[in-house]
Amino acid sequence: MKKILLLIIVAFSFQMQTTAQEAEYEKPNWYFGVAAGANFNFYRGTTQKLNAGLTVPTAFKDGDGVGLYATPLVEYHFTNSVWGIMLQSGYDNRQGDWDQVISPCNCPMDLTTDLSYITVEPSVRIAPFKNGFYIYGGPRLAFNVDKSFTYEKGTNPNFPAQVAGPAITEEFGDVESTITSMQVGAGFDIPLSSNTQKTQFVLSPFVAFHPYFGQNPRATENWNITTLRAGAALKFGMGRKKMIEEVEVVIPSVGFTVESPLNLPAERTVSETFPLRNYIYMDQSSTEIPNKYVTLRKEDVKDFEESQVKMNTPTDLSGRAKRGMTVYYNIVNILGDRMVKNPGANITLVGSSEKGTEDAEAMAQSVKTYLVEVFSIDSSRIATEGRIDPKVSSERKGRTQNLDLIRAEERRVTIESNSPALLMEFQSGPTAPLKPVLFKVQEAPEDSYVTFKADGAKEAFSSWRLELTDENGMVKNYGPFTEEEASIPGKTILGNQSKGDFKVKMIGTTDDGLEVIEESTTNVVLWGPAQADEVMRFSILYEFDDATAVTMYEKYLTDIVAPKIPEHSKVFIHGHTDLIGDAANNKRLSLDRANNVKTILEKALANSNRKDVQFEVQAYGEDTSKAHFGNKLPEQRAYNRTVIIDLVLEK
């Protein structure tokens, strides 16, 4: 076995030194080598008459042992076929120890054997998947070369003065000189050389099973052997040189184009009407207001203004998610401030908890306690209620996926009111959002995506990649890709630059390893509205898996949003979803939401005899690169179920 391991190490060393050579060779048909392993032998039956001169007092039954297997081998693999043949012929040891037995005199008896054969094992070889895995099977013809045994009889432990007789080493009688049995096995070929070498080495771990039938070593009694063999073969073959000059190489043709935004970098002013989701999402292990929500001390209430919420936030307000979550996490303070300014407004806090109504009631009560103690709201203005399921549930009958995310959204306190001073225009009832918050910010340029199209690549290539070289010779690599279109963020390509010229190589790899190169150039510019002076943004929120909730907003879109659309302007409508559920269904859902909004706005404009507005609808589904919010928290997913409406006011 040490010699076999040494040969493997030498083969690996040879491979490392020769892989740099250039050559093209087919896989060999013939392989020659050596195999070595261990025979795990299991004895069953009866063994008592060891030879003509020795019969032991008690029969031996079961036993086991491990013997060496070592042999040269030869294999032939048929060209372009799963079939092959194998021949191994060498030393095959079936050594073993019988389980100790006790003689009638209460003396322990032991028996061991070094039974050995020269074995001849021809096999049919099949590689069903045309890869390294193969199975094999065939007959086994074994010629006995060693039939020795060692028998020892101990003394009765009750008579310590007895002296045991010497061990008897003789040969079994009536041993068959030749036995015929069968074997089946499996292995895996691991190439140690590439097809750039004429001499190719292969390491093949294998296992084989030799069932008991046919393996009766003696003509007397009924002793038989079952063997499980495990080992490895190291083999080599000589490959034939490929006749490349006779092969017609067909270079696939693909249509390669690059689409890059042409806008100049800029900043834009965004006046956003930000909706307030009327939910307070609670932690699983607590009924108190979570720490992520902003809470005030009683002495700070006099200085709180919802229009100034963003002044207490991080200085980086360029991201809509940061702005939005900062406003949303002040929802309890915004609610308290509005109730102070509108003393006639009343609310109902409805807790929902899978742990029961008492837990849900405690959740609602914690919000009430905060409003009463910090904002000094009269407790009679705040009713509380506890439920197991919320009135508007995200869970659907029969749904089995993402239940942990959905149920996390069900544990919440819903703010209900019929007061117009608290609610979004034209809304009422338990699903009505709170009045939105208005703010104006300078929005930094958004990221854009440069699109690379390789028409026909899916059929022509196993994969393709991109190599972009900038004006300074710096190279960036992207891929591999398997679809016919790839989009890369402009900011990823540009790094710290605002724009740049690039040489583009599309490098496709065929199934045969052939590389095909297409070249192009592109100018990449960090996206920004080229001429937009100001954007007015509105957004509406949806319940989970709902595309028809837009009917609740119809009057808001008709009477509030549509009149603000400037003449001869462009309206961008973007539909989004969270990541719960099937991606294809989410893409369809976001398109349904966006088209519903577009239909309502078009109808409102038509009623005013206006046909001067251009609409652009995009459905992003659950695309996280386009979503403004994350998907980890319930409130983030709630704000991703949205349609965003941007009214671009041209200079």
Side-chain angles (χ1 to χ4, degrees):
M1 291 300 292
K2 292 180 179 178
K3 292 179 180 179
I4 295 298
L5 292 175
L6 181 60
L7 285 172
I8 293 172
I9 294 172
V10 171
F12 270 116
S13 175
F14 177 76
Q15 160 66 6
M16 294 176 64
Q17 296 173 6
T18 57
T19 50
Q21 300 177 14
E22 292 185 2
E24 294 255 354
Y25 293 94
E26 297 177 352
K27 288 185 177 181
N29 293 107
W30 287 95
Y31 284 94
F32 304 89
V34 293
N39 288 330
F40 298 90
N41 307 310
F42 304 93
Y43 298 163
R44 297 295 182 268
T46 300
T47 304
Q48 188 168 7
K49 184 178 180 180
L50 305 187
N51 54 36
L54 179 59
T55 300
V56 297
T58 302
F60 290 92
K61 298 293 185 181
D62 299 337
D64 55 63
V66 180
L68 173 67
Y69 172 73
T71 178
L73 64 86
V74 60
E75 293 183 13
Y76 181 79
H77 301 179
F78 294 98
T79 304
N80 298 324
S81 174
V82 300
W83 295 92
I85 54 177
M86 304 165 52
L87 176 63
Q88 298 180 359
S89 179
Y91 180 71
D92 188 8
N93 181 266
R94 299 299 168 104
Q95 175 184 339
D97 301 330
W98 274 265
D99 297 341
Q100 189 180 75
V101 297
I102 305 298
S103 72
C105 70
N106 198 30
C107 302
M109 300 192 305
D110 295 287
L111 180 64
T112 64
T113 182
D114 200 34
L115 189 69
S116 301
Y117 297 89
I118 295 298
T119 185
V120 178
E121 300 174 5
S123 301
V124 175
R125 181 187 191 276
I126 306 173
F129 309 114
K130 293 187 177 181
N131 58 10
F133 176 76
Y134 64 91
I135 56 177
Y136 64 93
R140 170 179 174 262
L141 187 63
F143 303 93
N144 181 259
V145 294
D146 191 331
K147 50 186 176 182
S148 63
F149 68 82
T150 299
Y151 167 70
E152 293 182 87
K153 183 179 179 182
T155 61
N156 188 328
N158 297 323
F159 301 95
Q162 282 186 336
V163 178
I168 299 173
T169 301
E170 296 182 5
E171 291 186 342
F172 278 111
D174 299 315
V175 172
E176 300 280 7
S177 59
T178 304
I179 62 173
T180 303
S181 59
M182 65 169 292
Q183 52 143 355
V184 293
F188 195 89
D189 287 338
I190 304 173
L192 303 181
S193 308
S194 70
N195 62 356
T196 60
Q197 294 176 284
K198 183 176 182 179
T199 303
Q200 299 182 24
F201 285 84
V202 175
L203 178 66
S204 300
F206 66 85
V207 294
F209 178 64
H210 297 236
Y212 68 89
F213 44 86
Q215 292 203 72
N216 299 96
R218 304 174 65 199
T220 59
E221 300 184 321
N222 60 358
W223 168 27
N224 63 66
I225 305 173
T226 298
T227 298
L228 181 66
R229 179 184 294 163
L234 180 64
K235 52 197 179 186
F236 68 94
M238 309 294 284
R240 293 180 300 175
K241 193 170 184 179
K242 289 184 178 180
M243 304 299 291
I244 299 177
E245 61 277 8
E246 297 179 2
V247 178
E248 181 181 355
V249 179
V250 178
I251 300 177
S253 176
V254 296
F256 180 61
T257 57
V258 183
E259 297 178 2
S260 182
L262 299 178
N263 304 68
L264 296 175
E267 288 189 350
R268 63 182 182 181
T269 301
V270 176
S271 298
E272 178 158 7
T273 302
F274 187 78
L276 276 184
R277 178 79 279 181
N278 58 323
Y279 298 152
I280 302 168
Y281 296 97
M282 310 295 282
D283 293 337
Q284 290 293 324
S285 58
S286 173
T287 59
E288 299 299 318
I289 299 174
N291 292 333
K292 58 190 174 184
Y293 291 88
V294 178
T295 54
L296 304 175
R297 297 177 301 175
K298 188 169 184 176
E299 55 267 30
D300 297 329
V301 168
K302 65 181 186 304
D303 299 321
F304 180 83
E305 291 284 345
E306 74 173 62
S307 60
Q308 301 298 316
V309 165
K310 62 181 181 294
M311 294 183 64
N312 300 320
T313 65
T315 55
D316 179 12
L317 289 176
S318 61
R320 185 169 183 263
K322 291 182 180 179
R323 294 196 303 267
M325 285 296 100
T326 297
V327 173
Y328 171 76
Y329 284 140
N330 273 277
I331 184 172
V332 186
N333 300 322
I334 293 172
L335 178 63
D337 184 56
R338 290 179 182 178
M339 292 187 73
V340 169
K341 294 175 179 177
N342 298 277
N346 298 326
I347 62 171
T348 299
L349 299 174
V350 183
S352 56
S353 170
E354 76 287 353
K355 298 180 180 179
T357 56
E358 291 185 6
D359 189 67
E361 174 76 27
M363 290 160 45
Q365 188 62 43
S366 68
V367 179
K368 176 178 179 177
T369 299
Y370 176 78
L371 293 172
V372 171
E373 293 182 354
V374 176
F375 281 86
S376 302
I377 308 296
D378 191 323
S379 63
S380 63
R381 297 173 59 192
I382 306 174
T384 60
E385 179 184 338
R387 300 169 54 90
I388 295 177
D389 297 317
K391 295 179 182 179
V392 180
S393 176
S394 297
E395 191 166 349
R396 297 289 189 269
K397 183 177 180 182
R399 178 178 290 277
T400 58
Q401 295 181 338
N402 304 117
L403 290 180
D404 54 336
L405 299 181
I406 295 172
R407 287 168 182 166
E409 299 181 13
E410 305 282 75
R411 184 176 176 81
R412 66 184 186 234
V413 175
T414 302
I415 304 166
E416 297 184 1
S417 179
N418 288 316
S419 171
L422 303 182
L423 301 179
M424 190 175 187
E425 292 93 332
F426 312 115
Q427 309 301 312
S428 63
T431 61
L434 298 177
K435 187 183 293 293
V437 174
L438 307 178
F439 52 76
K440 180 180 290 189
V441 294
Q442 289 295 118
E443 191 171 78
E446 296 181 17
D447 200 3
S448 63
Y449 282 73
V450 181
T451 302
F452 302 85
K453 295 182 178 180
D455 295 333
K458 203 164 186 178
E459 293 183 1
F461 305 134
S462 58
S463 66
W464 57 282
R465 57 189 175 87
L466 293 167
E467 182 181 285
L468 274 66
T469 306
D470 66 12
E471 297 161 292
N472 298 319
M474 296 294 294
V475 178
K476 291 185 177 182
N477 293 283
Y478 304 93
F481 309 105
T482 56
E483 300 297 325
E484 296 190 349
E485 183 175 311
S487 295
I488 301 175
K491 188 172 181 59
T492 300
I493 297 173
L494 291 168
N496 296 324
Q497 304 177 23
S498 61
K499 60 181 179 179
D501 293 317
F502 293 85
K503 295 179 180 179
V504 184
K505 283 185 179 181
M506 186 284 298
I507 305 170
T509 304
T510 67
D511 292 335
D512 298 328
L514 178 67
E515 285 194 346
V516 178
I517 299 176
E518 297 281 350
E519 297 185 358
S520 183
T521 58
T522 187
N523 175 260
V524 181
V525 180
L526 193 66
W527 188 88
Q531 299 183 4
D533 182 45
E534 184 174 342
V535 172
M536 294 182 65
R537 175 175 294 157
F538 299 87
S539 53
I540 56 178
L541 303 176
Y542 293 81
E543 297 297 340
F544 175 75
D545 202 23
D546 190 358
T548 60
V550 72
T551 55
M552 184 178 72
Y553 293 101
E554 185 164 355
K555 192 167 181 62
Y556 175 77
L557 291 168
T558 301
D559 294 352
I560 301 298
V561 178
K564 291 183 171 62
I565 300 177
E567 294 183 356
H568 307 291
S569 63
K570 193 169 188 177
V571 177
F572 297 89
I573 302 175
H574 296 167
H576 300 266
T577 70
D578 59 23
L579 54 59
I580 297 176
D582 178 69
N585 180 67
N586 285 338
K587 189 69 176 286
R588 176 196 58 77
L589 183 63
S590 66
L591 181 61
D592 290 345
R593 290 172 174 174
N595 281 330
N596 282 341
V597 171
K598 176 189 174 187
T599 299
I600 292 172
L601 292 177
E602 282 182 327
K603 181 179 178 182
L605 293 172
N607 290 338
S608 300
N609 296 319
R610 291 188 55 187
K611 297 182 179 180
D612 58 307
V613 177
Q614 181 181 356
F615 288 90
E616 181 177 302
V617 174
Q618 291 285 349
Y620 294 121
E622 63 184 50
D623 188 344
T624 55
S625 65
K626 298 295 186 181
H628 289 187
F629 297 87
N631 279 281
K632 183 177 180 181
L633 301 175
E635 48 268 42
Q636 293 173 328
R637 296 192 294 274
Y639 273 96
N640 275 337
R641 300 168 194 146
T642 185
V643 169
I644 299 173
I645 309 153
D646 281 349
L647 314 182
V648 180
L649 313 180
E650 301 290 348
K651 283 185 176 180

